Amino acid sequence: MNILQKSYDSEGILGAGNIAVGWINYFDCGKPLPGEYVFEVKARGWQSVNVITAVKTITIP
């Protein structure tokens, strides 16, 4: 199943000199039910064409 979900909130990550170096996005995935869930995030830097993908699978017994 491929579900794209929009974040309900986000906040900037500030580095030295109050320069934004990233973002935290918050998602409401609903009540956790038993099963296996795959979370995938794709990101690209401001001045880069390279896309970084991170995938994490969690299992709720």
Side-chain angles (χ1 to χ4, degrees):
M1 182 185 302
N2 186 10
I3 298 174
L4 298 178
Q5 187 168 352
K6 293 184 179 181
S7 64
Y8 68 85
D9 195 10
S10 65
E11 63 183 72
I13 301 170
L14 300 178
N18 281 342
I19 296 174
V21 295
W23 294 95
I24 298 173
N25 292 296
Y26 298 95
F27 295 87
D28 181 356
C29 298
K31 180 181 176 183
L33 299 172
E36 188 172 89
Y37 299 89
V38 178
F39 294 87
E40 180 176 323
V41 176
K42 293 185 179 187
R44 181 179 63 84
W46 178 259
Q47 296 180 337
S48 175
V49 296
N50 298 328
V51 175
I52 298 169
T53 301
V55 179
K56 178 68 177 178
T57 301
I58 65 167
T59 301
I60 299 176

Short mmCIF file of all heavy atoms in Angstrom, two decimals:
data_model
loop_
_atom_site.label_atom_id
_atom_site.label_comp_id
_atom_site.label_asym_id
_atom_site.label_seq_id
_atom_site.Cartn_x
_atom_site.Cartn_y
_atom_site.Cartn_z
N MET A 1 0.84 -1.16 0.00
CA MET A 1 0.00 0.00 0.00
C MET A 1 0.89 1.23 0.00
O MET A 1 1.85 1.32 0.74
CB MET A 1 -0.89 0.00 1.24
CG MET A 1 -1.83 1.17 1.27
SD MET A 1 -2.82 1.31 2.78
CE MET A 1 -3.65 -0.23 2.81
N ASN A 2 0.60 2.20 -0.82
CA ASN A 2 1.39 3.41 -0.91
C ASN A 2 0.50 4.60 -0.52
O ASN A 2 -0.35 5.00 -1.29
CB ASN A 2 1.94 3.58 -2.33
CG ASN A 2 2.90 4.75 -2.44
OD1 ASN A 2 3.30 5.32 -1.45
ND2 ASN A 2 3.26 5.08 -3.65
N ILE A 3 0.71 5.10 0.67
CA ILE A 3 -0.10 6.22 1.15
C ILE A 3 0.82 7.41 1.39
O ILE A 3 1.77 7.32 2.15
CB ILE A 3 -0.82 5.86 2.46
CG1 ILE A 3 -1.78 4.70 2.23
CG2 ILE A 3 -1.56 7.06 3.01
CD1 ILE A 3 -2.44 4.19 3.49
N LEU A 4 0.52 8.51 0.72
CA LEU A 4 1.26 9.73 0.97
C LEU A 4 0.47 10.54 1.98
O LEU A 4 -0.72 10.78 1.79
CB LEU A 4 1.44 10.53 -0.32
CG LEU A 4 2.24 9.85 -1.41
CD1 LEU A 4 2.30 10.73 -2.65
CD2 LEU A 4 3.64 9.54 -0.93
N GLN A 5 1.10 10.94 3.04
CA GLN A 5 0.41 11.65 4.09
C GLN A 5 1.11 12.98 4.33
O GLN A 5 2.32 13.05 4.38
CB GLN A 5 0.39 10.83 5.38
CG GLN A 5 -0.44 11.43 6.46
CD GLN A 5 -0.66 10.45 7.59
OE1 GLN A 5 -0.31 9.29 7.51
NE2 GLN A 5 -1.26 10.92 8.65
N LYS A 6 0.34 14.03 4.51
CA LYS A 6 0.90 15.35 4.77
C LYS A 6 1.14 15.52 6.26
O LYS A 6 0.39 15.02 7.07
CB LYS A 6 -0.05 16.43 4.27
CG LYS A 6 -0.19 16.44 2.77
CD LYS A 6 -1.07 17.58 2.34
CE LYS A 6 -1.18 17.58 0.82
NZ LYS A 6 -1.99 18.67 0.33
N SER A 7 2.20 16.23 6.59
CA SER A 7 2.49 16.48 7.99
C SER A 7 1.47 17.46 8.56
O SER A 7 0.92 18.29 7.85
CB SER A 7 3.90 17.03 8.16
OG SER A 7 4.02 18.29 7.53
N TYR A 8 1.20 17.34 9.87
CA TYR A 8 0.27 18.25 10.50
C TYR A 8 0.99 19.41 11.17
O TYR A 8 0.38 20.39 11.57
CB TYR A 8 -0.65 17.53 11.50
CG TYR A 8 0.04 16.98 12.73
CD1 TYR A 8 0.25 17.78 13.84
CD2 TYR A 8 0.48 15.67 12.77
CE1 TYR A 8 0.87 17.29 14.97
CE2 TYR A 8 1.09 15.17 13.89
CZ TYR A 8 1.29 15.98 14.99
OH TYR A 8 1.92 15.47 16.09
N ASP A 9 2.32 19.30 11.30
CA ASP A 9 3.10 20.38 11.89
C ASP A 9 4.54 20.20 11.47
O ASP A 9 4.96 19.10 11.09
CB ASP A 9 2.98 20.34 13.41
CG ASP A 9 3.46 21.63 14.08
OD1 ASP A 9 3.70 22.62 13.35
OD2 ASP A 9 3.59 21.65 15.31
N SER A 10 5.31 21.26 11.53
CA SER A 10 6.74 21.17 11.23
C SER A 10 7.46 22.28 11.98
O SER A 10 6.85 23.27 12.39
CB SER A 10 7.01 21.27 9.73
OG SER A 10 6.65 22.54 9.25
N GLU A 11 8.74 22.09 12.17
CA GLU A 11 9.55 23.13 12.79
C GLU A 11 10.94 23.08 12.21
O GLU A 11 11.43 22.03 11.79
CB GLU A 11 9.59 22.98 14.31
CG GLU A 11 10.24 21.71 14.80
CD GLU A 11 10.19 21.57 16.31
OE1 GLU A 11 9.10 21.32 16.85
OE2 GLU A 11 11.26 21.71 16.95
N GLY A 12 11.58 24.23 12.15
CA GLY A 12 12.92 24.31 11.61
C GLY A 12 13.97 23.87 12.61
O GLY A 12 13.77 23.97 13.82
N ILE A 13 15.06 23.36 12.10
CA ILE A 13 16.23 23.02 12.92
C ILE A 13 17.25 24.12 12.64
O ILE A 13 17.69 24.28 11.50
CB ILE A 13 16.81 21.65 12.55
CG1 ILE A 13 15.76 20.56 12.73
CG2 ILE A 13 18.06 21.36 13.38
CD1 ILE A 13 16.18 19.22 12.15
N LEU A 14 17.60 24.88 13.67
CA LEU A 14 18.50 25.99 13.48
C LEU A 14 19.92 25.62 13.88
O LEU A 14 20.14 24.98 14.90
CB LEU A 14 18.04 27.20 14.30
CG LEU A 14 16.65 27.73 13.95
CD1 LEU A 14 16.30 28.90 14.86
CD2 LEU A 14 16.58 28.15 12.50
N GLY A 15 20.87 26.05 13.04
CA GLY A 15 22.27 25.84 13.33
C GLY A 15 22.91 27.13 13.82
O GLY A 15 22.21 28.05 14.28
N ALA A 16 24.21 27.22 13.70
CA ALA A 16 24.94 28.42 14.12
C ALA A 16 24.41 29.65 13.39
O ALA A 16 24.10 29.61 12.21
CB ALA A 16 26.43 28.23 13.86
N GLY A 17 24.27 30.73 14.12
CA GLY A 17 23.81 31.98 13.51
C GLY A 17 22.34 31.95 13.13
O GLY A 17 21.90 32.71 12.28
N ASN A 18 21.56 31.05 13.75
CA ASN A 18 20.13 30.91 13.46
C ASN A 18 19.84 30.63 11.98
O ASN A 18 18.85 31.08 11.43
CB ASN A 18 19.34 32.14 13.91
CG ASN A 18 19.08 32.12 15.40
OD1 ASN A 18 19.16 31.08 16.03
ND2 ASN A 18 18.76 33.26 15.96
N ILE A 19 20.72 29.87 11.35
CA ILE A 19 20.53 29.47 9.96
C ILE A 19 19.83 28.12 9.94
O ILE A 19 20.26 27.18 10.62
CB ILE A 19 21.87 29.39 9.22
CG1 ILE A 19 22.51 30.79 9.16
CG2 ILE A 19 21.69 28.82 7.82
CD1 ILE A 19 23.90 30.81 8.58
N ALA A 20 18.74 28.03 9.19
CA ALA A 20 18.00 26.77 9.10
C ALA A 20 18.85 25.71 8.42
O ALA A 20 19.39 25.93 7.34
CB ALA A 20 16.70 26.96 8.34
N VAL A 21 18.99 24.56 9.08
CA VAL A 21 19.78 23.47 8.51
C VAL A 21 18.91 22.24 8.21
O VAL A 21 19.40 21.25 7.70
CB VAL A 21 20.95 23.07 9.43
CG1 VAL A 21 21.95 24.20 9.55
CG2 VAL A 21 20.45 22.64 10.80
N GLY A 22 17.63 22.33 8.54
CA GLY A 22 16.74 21.21 8.27
C GLY A 22 15.36 21.46 8.85
O GLY A 22 15.08 22.54 9.38
N TRP A 23 14.50 20.47 8.72
CA TRP A 23 13.13 20.56 9.20
C TRP A 23 12.73 19.27 9.88
O TRP A 23 13.18 18.20 9.50
CB TRP A 23 12.16 20.82 8.04
CG TRP A 23 12.37 22.14 7.40
CD1 TRP A 23 13.13 22.40 6.29
CD2 TRP A 23 11.87 23.39 7.83
NE1 TRP A 23 13.12 23.74 6.01
CE2 TRP A 23 12.35 24.38 6.95
CE3 TRP A 23 11.06 23.79 8.90
CZ2 TRP A 23 12.04 25.72 7.09
CZ3 TRP A 23 10.75 25.13 9.02
CH2 TRP A 23 11.23 26.07 8.13
N ILE A 24 11.86 19.37 10.88
CA ILE A 24 11.22 18.22 11.49
C ILE A 24 9.75 18.29 11.10
O ILE A 24 9.11 19.33 11.29
CB ILE A 24 11.35 18.24 13.03
CG1 ILE A 24 12.81 18.19 13.45
CG2 ILE A 24 10.56 17.08 13.64
CD1 ILE A 24 13.01 18.36 14.94
N ASN A 25 9.24 17.23 10.52
CA ASN A 25 7.83 17.17 10.15
C ASN A 25 7.14 16.14 11.04
O ASN A 25 7.67 15.06 11.26
CB ASN A 25 7.66 16.79 8.68
CG ASN A 25 8.15 17.86 7.76
OD1 ASN A 25 7.60 18.96 7.75
ND2 ASN A 25 9.18 17.58 7.00
N TYR A 26 5.96 16.49 11.52
CA TYR A 26 5.19 15.61 12.40
C TYR A 26 3.99 15.05 11.66
O TYR A 26 3.30 15.78 10.96
CB TYR A 26 4.72 16.39 13.64
CG TYR A 26 5.87 16.90 14.47
CD1 TYR A 26 6.35 18.19 14.31
CD2 TYR A 26 6.47 16.09 15.42
CE1 TYR A 26 7.40 18.67 15.07
CE2 TYR A 26 7.53 16.57 16.19
CZ TYR A 26 7.98 17.86 16.01
OH TYR A 26 9.03 18.32 16.77
N PHE A 27 3.75 13.75 11.83
CA PHE A 27 2.66 13.06 11.16
C PHE A 27 1.80 12.35 12.18
O PHE A 27 2.29 11.84 13.18
CB PHE A 27 3.20 12.01 10.18
CG PHE A 27 3.98 12.60 9.05
CD1 PHE A 27 5.33 12.85 9.18
CD2 PHE A 27 3.37 12.91 7.85
CE1 PHE A 27 6.06 13.40 8.14
CE2 PHE A 27 4.09 13.46 6.80
CZ PHE A 27 5.44 13.71 6.95
N ASP A 28 0.50 12.30 11.94
CA ASP A 28 -0.41 11.52 12.76
C ASP A 28 -0.76 10.27 11.97
O ASP A 28 -1.49 10.33 10.98
CB ASP A 28 -1.67 12.31 13.08
CG ASP A 28 -2.64 11.55 13.97
OD1 ASP A 28 -2.37 10.37 14.27
OD2 ASP A 28 -3.66 12.13 14.35
N CYS A 29 -0.21 9.14 12.38
CA CYS A 29 -0.44 7.89 11.67
C CYS A 29 -1.63 7.11 12.23
O CYS A 29 -1.87 5.97 11.83
CB CYS A 29 0.82 7.03 11.73
SG CYS A 29 2.24 7.80 10.93
N GLY A 30 -2.34 7.70 13.19
CA GLY A 30 -3.48 7.02 13.77
C GLY A 30 -3.07 6.06 14.88
O GLY A 30 -1.91 5.97 15.26
N LYS A 31 -4.06 5.33 15.38
CA LYS A 31 -3.82 4.37 16.46
C LYS A 31 -2.94 3.23 15.95
O LYS A 31 -3.22 2.65 14.90
CB LYS A 31 -5.16 3.81 16.94
CG LYS A 31 -5.04 2.80 18.06
CD LYS A 31 -6.39 2.26 18.47
CE LYS A 31 -6.22 1.18 19.52
NZ LYS A 31 -7.50 0.59 19.89
N PRO A 32 -1.87 2.91 16.69
CA PRO A 32 -1.02 1.80 16.24
C PRO A 32 -1.73 0.46 16.39
O PRO A 32 -2.20 0.11 17.46
CB PRO A 32 0.20 1.89 17.16
CG PRO A 32 -0.27 2.63 18.36
CD PRO A 32 -1.39 3.52 17.92
N LEU A 33 -1.83 -0.26 15.32
CA LEU A 33 -2.44 -1.59 15.31
C LEU A 33 -1.35 -2.62 15.04
O LEU A 33 -0.32 -2.31 14.45
CB LEU A 33 -3.51 -1.67 14.22
CG LEU A 33 -4.68 -0.69 14.36
CD1 LEU A 33 -5.57 -0.75 13.13
CD2 LEU A 33 -5.48 -1.01 15.61
N PRO A 34 -1.55 -3.85 15.48
CA PRO A 34 -0.55 -4.89 15.20
C PRO A 34 -0.30 -5.02 13.70
O PRO A 34 -1.22 -4.91 12.89
CB PRO A 34 -1.20 -6.16 15.75
CG PRO A 34 -2.17 -5.69 16.79
CD PRO A 34 -2.67 -4.37 16.25
N GLY A 35 0.95 -5.20 13.36
CA GLY A 35 1.32 -5.37 11.96
C GLY A 35 2.70 -4.83 11.66
O GLY A 35 3.43 -4.43 12.56
N GLU A 36 3.06 -4.84 10.41
CA GLU A 36 4.36 -4.35 9.95
C GLU A 36 4.14 -3.07 9.16
O GLU A 36 3.28 -3.03 8.27
CB GLU A 36 5.04 -5.41 9.10
CG GLU A 36 6.47 -5.05 8.74
CD GLU A 36 7.19 -6.19 8.05
OE1 GLU A 36 7.10 -6.25 6.81
OE2 GLU A 36 7.80 -7.02 8.76
N TYR A 37 4.94 -2.06 9.47
CA TYR A 37 4.78 -0.76 8.83
C TYR A 37 6.11 -0.31 8.26
O TYR A 37 7.15 -0.46 8.89
CB TYR A 37 4.26 0.28 9.83
CG TYR A 37 2.92 -0.10 10.40
CD1 TYR A 37 2.81 -0.89 11.54
CD2 TYR A 37 1.76 0.31 9.76
CE1 TYR A 37 1.57 -1.24 12.04
CE2 TYR A 37 0.51 -0.04 10.26
CZ TYR A 37 0.43 -0.82 11.40
OH TYR A 37 -0.79 -1.17 11.89
N VAL A 38 6.07 0.24 7.06
CA VAL A 38 7.27 0.74 6.40
C VAL A 38 7.16 2.26 6.30
O VAL A 38 6.17 2.79 5.78
CB VAL A 38 7.43 0.13 4.99
CG1 VAL A 38 8.66 0.71 4.31
CG2 VAL A 38 7.51 -1.38 5.06
N PHE A 39 8.16 2.96 6.83
CA PHE A 39 8.23 4.40 6.75
C PHE A 39 9.36 4.76 5.79
O PHE A 39 10.49 4.29 5.95
CB PHE A 39 8.49 5.02 8.12
CG PHE A 39 7.35 4.81 9.07
CD1 PHE A 39 7.26 3.67 9.85
CD2 PHE A 39 6.35 5.77 9.18
CE1 PHE A 39 6.20 3.48 10.72
CE2 PHE A 39 5.29 5.59 10.05
CZ PHE A 39 5.21 4.44 10.83
N GLU A 40 9.06 5.58 4.82
CA GLU A 40 10.06 5.99 3.83
C GLU A 40 10.06 7.50 3.71
O GLU A 40 9.01 8.13 3.62
CB GLU A 40 9.74 5.38 2.47
CG GLU A 40 10.74 5.76 1.39
CD GLU A 40 10.47 5.07 0.08
OE1 GLU A 40 10.06 3.89 0.09
OE2 GLU A 40 10.67 5.72 -0.96
N VAL A 41 11.26 8.07 3.73
CA VAL A 41 11.42 9.52 3.61
C VAL A 41 12.40 9.79 2.48
O VAL A 41 13.44 9.14 2.39
CB VAL A 41 11.99 10.13 4.92
CG1 VAL A 41 12.24 11.61 4.75
CG2 VAL A 41 11.04 9.87 6.07
N LYS A 42 12.05 10.73 1.63
CA LYS A 42 12.96 11.16 0.57
C LYS A 42 13.21 12.65 0.75
O LYS A 42 12.29 13.41 1.03
CB LYS A 42 12.36 10.90 -0.80
CG LYS A 42 12.22 9.43 -1.12
CD LYS A 42 11.73 9.21 -2.52
CE LYS A 42 11.64 7.70 -2.77
NZ LYS A 42 11.33 7.41 -4.16
N ALA A 43 14.47 13.04 0.61
CA ALA A 43 14.84 14.44 0.81
C ALA A 43 15.90 14.85 -0.20
O ALA A 43 16.65 14.02 -0.70
CB ALA A 43 15.36 14.64 2.23
N ARG A 44 15.91 16.12 -0.48
CA ARG A 44 16.91 16.68 -1.39
C ARG A 44 17.37 18.01 -0.82
O ARG A 44 16.57 18.79 -0.33
CB ARG A 44 16.30 16.91 -2.77
CG ARG A 44 17.27 17.47 -3.80
CD ARG A 44 16.61 17.64 -5.15
NE ARG A 44 15.53 18.59 -5.15
CZ ARG A 44 15.66 19.90 -5.26
NH1 ARG A 44 16.84 20.45 -5.35
NH2 ARG A 44 14.60 20.68 -5.26
N GLY A 45 18.66 18.24 -0.86
CA GLY A 45 19.22 19.50 -0.37
C GLY A 45 18.85 20.66 -1.29
O GLY A 45 18.49 20.49 -2.45
N TRP A 46 18.93 21.85 -0.73
CA TRP A 46 18.56 23.07 -1.45
C TRP A 46 19.32 23.22 -2.77
O TRP A 46 18.74 23.59 -3.78
CB TRP A 46 18.83 24.28 -0.55
CG TRP A 46 18.53 25.59 -1.20
CD1 TRP A 46 19.44 26.45 -1.74
CD2 TRP A 46 17.25 26.19 -1.40
NE1 TRP A 46 18.81 27.54 -2.25
CE2 TRP A 46 17.44 27.40 -2.05
CE3 TRP A 46 15.95 25.80 -1.09
CZ2 TRP A 46 16.40 28.25 -2.40
CZ3 TRP A 46 14.92 26.65 -1.44
CH2 TRP A 46 15.16 27.86 -2.07
N GLN A 47 20.60 22.95 -2.77
CA GLN A 47 21.42 23.15 -3.97
C GLN A 47 21.96 21.82 -4.51
O GLN A 47 23.06 21.78 -5.06
CB GLN A 47 22.57 24.10 -3.67
CG GLN A 47 22.10 25.49 -3.32
CD GLN A 47 23.26 26.41 -3.02
OE1 GLN A 47 24.34 25.97 -2.67
NE2 GLN A 47 23.02 27.70 -3.17
N SER A 48 21.19 20.76 -4.39
CA SER A 48 21.65 19.45 -4.83
C SER A 48 20.57 18.76 -5.64
O SER A 48 19.39 18.93 -5.41
CB SER A 48 22.00 18.58 -3.61
OG SER A 48 22.34 17.29 -4.02
N VAL A 49 21.01 17.97 -6.60
CA VAL A 49 20.07 17.17 -7.38
C VAL A 49 19.96 15.76 -6.80
O VAL A 49 19.11 14.99 -7.21
CB VAL A 49 20.49 17.08 -8.87
CG1 VAL A 49 20.45 18.45 -9.51
CG2 VAL A 49 21.86 16.45 -9.01
N ASN A 50 20.83 15.43 -5.83
CA ASN A 50 20.84 14.11 -5.22
C ASN A 50 19.68 13.95 -4.24
O ASN A 50 19.46 14.80 -3.39
CB ASN A 50 22.15 13.86 -4.49
CG ASN A 50 23.33 13.90 -5.42
OD1 ASN A 50 23.23 13.54 -6.59
ND2 ASN A 50 24.46 14.35 -4.93
N VAL A 51 18.94 12.87 -4.37
CA VAL A 51 17.85 12.55 -3.46
C VAL A 51 18.32 11.47 -2.50
O VAL A 51 18.86 10.45 -2.92
CB VAL A 51 16.60 12.08 -4.23
CG1 VAL A 51 15.51 11.64 -3.26
CG2 VAL A 51 16.09 13.18 -5.15
N ILE A 52 18.14 11.72 -1.22
CA ILE A 52 18.50 10.76 -0.18
C ILE A 52 17.22 10.06 0.28
O ILE A 52 16.22 10.72 0.54
CB ILE A 52 19.18 11.46 1.01
CG1 ILE A 52 20.47 12.13 0.55
CG2 ILE A 52 19.44 10.48 2.14
CD1 ILE A 52 21.07 13.06 1.58
N THR A 53 17.26 8.74 0.36
CA THR A 53 16.10 7.98 0.80
C THR A 53 16.46 7.21 2.07
O THR A 53 17.51 6.59 2.15
CB THR A 53 15.66 6.97 -0.29
OG1 THR A 53 15.35 7.69 -1.48
CG2 THR A 53 14.44 6.19 0.15
N ALA A 54 15.58 7.29 3.05
CA ALA A 54 15.73 6.52 4.29
C ALA A 54 14.47 5.67 4.46
O ALA A 54 13.36 6.18 4.31
CB ALA A 54 15.91 7.44 5.48
N VAL A 55 14.64 4.38 4.76
CA VAL A 55 13.52 3.47 4.93
C VAL A 55 13.68 2.75 6.26
O VAL A 55 14.77 2.29 6.61
CB VAL A 55 13.48 2.43 3.79
CG1 VAL A 55 12.32 1.46 4.00
CG2 VAL A 55 13.35 3.11 2.44
N LYS A 56 12.60 2.70 7.03
CA LYS A 56 12.60 2.00 8.31
C LYS A 56 11.32 1.18 8.41
O LYS A 56 10.24 1.68 8.18
CB LYS A 56 12.67 3.00 9.46
CG LYS A 56 12.63 2.39 10.84
CD LYS A 56 13.89 1.61 11.13
CE LYS A 56 13.88 1.07 12.55
NZ LYS A 56 15.02 0.28 12.86
N THR A 57 11.45 -0.10 8.74
CA THR A 57 10.31 -0.98 8.95
C THR A 57 10.18 -1.26 10.44
O THR A 57 11.16 -1.61 11.09
CB THR A 57 10.49 -2.31 8.18
OG1 THR A 57 10.63 -2.02 6.80
CG2 THR A 57 9.29 -3.22 8.39
N ILE A 58 8.97 -1.08 10.97
CA ILE A 58 8.73 -1.42 12.36
C ILE A 58 7.62 -2.46 12.43
O ILE A 58 6.74 -2.49 11.58
CB ILE A 58 8.39 -0.19 13.23
CG1 ILE A 58 7.05 0.42 12.80
CG2 ILE A 58 9.48 0.83 13.22
CD1 ILE A 58 6.51 1.41 13.79
N THR A 59 7.70 -3.30 13.44
CA THR A 59 6.69 -4.33 13.65
C THR A 59 6.05 -4.12 15.01
O THR A 59 6.76 -4.03 16.02
CB THR A 59 7.30 -5.74 13.57
OG1 THR A 59 7.90 -5.89 12.29
CG2 THR A 59 6.24 -6.81 13.76
N ILE A 60 4.73 -4.03 15.04
CA ILE A 60 3.99 -3.91 16.28
C ILE A 60 3.32 -5.27 16.52
O ILE A 60 2.52 -5.71 15.71
CB ILE A 60 2.95 -2.78 16.21
CG1 ILE A 60 3.64 -1.46 15.96
CG2 ILE A 60 2.10 -2.76 17.48
CD1 ILE A 60 2.72 -0.29 15.77
N PRO A 61 3.71 -5.94 17.61
CA PRO A 61 3.16 -7.27 17.87
C PRO A 61 1.68 -7.23 18.24
O PRO A 61 1.15 -6.27 18.68
CB PRO A 61 3.99 -7.78 19.04
CG PRO A 61 4.71 -6.61 19.61
CD PRO A 61 4.65 -5.51 18.61
#
